[in-house]
Amino acid sequence: MRHVIALDVGGTGMKAALVGADGALLHEARRRTGRERGADAVIESILDFAAELRAYGEQKYGQRAEAAGVAVPGIVDTERGIALFAANLGWENVPLRDLLHERLGIPVALGHDVRTGGLAEGRIGAGQGADRFLFLPLGTGIAGAIGIDGVIEPGAHGSAGEIGHIVVRPGGTPCGCRQRGCLERYASASAVTEAWAEASGDPDADAADCAKAVESGDPRAVAVWQHAIDALADGLVTAVTLLDPRTLIIGGGLAEAGETLFTPLRAAVEERITFQSLPAIVPAALGDTAGRLGAGLLAWDLLEAEAEAEAEAGADGPDAHVPTQSTEVTA
């Protein structure tokens, strides 16, 4: 059976799958990254895990994987296949695509984790059928993926979609990016956790606890929650003004609150809209499978791009230039 390797690398763990040509998850597995042992150990863990997946596919289906797609956090140069920086993994300038290609012997596509998840949500998840969408996971931070006609726009320098660093409260809370008042300091799951722990007096309370307290009518929780909703709505209206998406897809830990989040958020965005067209605001559909499914899509896209390049080269004659393995659909 034809299949590709899909690997979603997170700060503490890796989620992987063998993905069929129809997008089905044929086999799923998880491993820890081992980041406490340092960047080199993380890289070796990724290479070993990918090799295990290749071996499993060969044994199970009698043929090796045709390609691999890998999604990683941090700053990623998808065109050159380099993981430039990830604070939570401790690495810098890792030529991850080449390392995986050497270990596996197959073409490899490297993508940014949020944009890769957005690719899956846009094509086969909540954004399916939308020609323009914006995917925002509200987790430890807030990032975004801009979808245009089934592909993700990476930007000129690979950093498009960093909506979490739109300043929504000028002069406000300091952010790790060295600005003050960034959206993710008010509307991420970690920001709500911090605010609710302080307001409730419980240092162990988190964003999920805040959502439950909102549902029970706790006025302290309602105030914390509304503060986050207002900041998020301000950031989303800025994004709508710039991008004019047809659909806003909200995922991540905060979205698990369901309509406790979405009902007031839709109202807050609609209240702020003037001349802009109001997009649909919907929950993400794929959950934590989005990264793996997106990585699988990257791998299949890479194979399709290479096949098209070879066909074009054949049509142009034997002396035509054929793009090398570095040709890649980016996300």
Side-chain angles (χ1 to χ4, degrees), residues 97-111:
R97 185 180 63 194
D98 288 348
L99 292 173
L100 282 163
H101 176 62
E102 290 170 9
R103 178 69 69 91
L104 302 175
I106 56 178
V108 177
L110 183 68

Side-chain angles (χ1 to χ4, degrees), residues 119 130-134 145-154 243:
L119 178 68
D131 55 348
R132 300 286 191 280
F133 69 87
L134 179 63
I146 302 166
I148 302 173
D149 292 331
V151 298
I152 301 299
E153 169 55 50
L243 302 173

Side-chain angles (χ1 to χ4, degrees), residues 28-249:
E28 298 179 70
R30 294 174 184 256
R31 293 283 187 282
R32 293 189 62 79
T33 59
R35 65 177 181 174
E36 67 279 358
R37 294 181 289 124
D40 289 342
V42 171
I43 295 165
E44 197 59 35
S45 295
I46 293 170
L47 298 178
D48 288 345
F49 195 17
E52 289 176 24
L53 292 161
R54 181 192 62 183
Y56 179 90
E58 289 173 350
Q59 180 180 15
K60 179 74 173 180
Y61 303 114
Q63 63 186 94
R64 73 175 187 174
E66 296 182 35
V70 185
V72 297
I75 302 172
V76 185
D77 184 336
T78 55
E79 291 190 1
R80 295 191 297 149
I82 298 174
L84 296 173
F85 178 75
N88 57 359
L89 294 175
W91 66 29
E92 290 185 47
N93 298 314
V94 178
L96 194 55
R97 185 180 63 194
D98 288 348
L99 292 173
L100 282 163
H101 176 62
E102 290 170 9
R103 178 69 69 91
L104 302 175
I106 56 178
V108 177
L110 183 68
H112 179 272
D113 57 351
V114 171
R115 291 196 289 272
T116 301
L119 178 68
E121 282 289 353
R123 283 203 200 164
I124 59 178
Q128 190 171 5
D131 55 348
R132 300 286 191 280
F133 69 87
L134 179 63
F135 168 61
L136 279 85
L138 308 177
T140 303
I142 300 177
I146 302 166
I148 302 173
D149 292 331
V151 298
I152 301 299
E153 169 55 50
H157 307 97
S159 59
E162 290 292 347
I163 187 175
H165 298 289
I166 289 176
V167 174
V168 294
R169 301 292 181 264
T173 305
C175 181
C177 75
R178 299 191 298 277
Q179 295 188 117
R180 300 180 71 94
C182 289
L183 175 61
E184 71 174 40
R185 295 299 294 121
Y186 298 91
S188 62
S190 59
V192 173
T193 291
E194 182 180 337
W196 178 234
E198 181 178 354
S200 66
D202 180 358
D204 297 323
D206 61 15
D209 296 324
C210 184
K212 292 175 185 175
V214 170
E215 292 162 9
S216 67
D218 186 319
R220 299 170 303 167
V222 170
V224 168
W225 198 254
Q226 192 61 49
H227 186 61
I229 292 287
D230 288 340
L232 182 56
D234 289 341
L236 290 179
V237 170
T238 298
V240 168
T241 304
L242 291 173
L243 302 173
D244 188 25
R246 198 170 304 280
T247 305
L248 291 173
I249 305 168

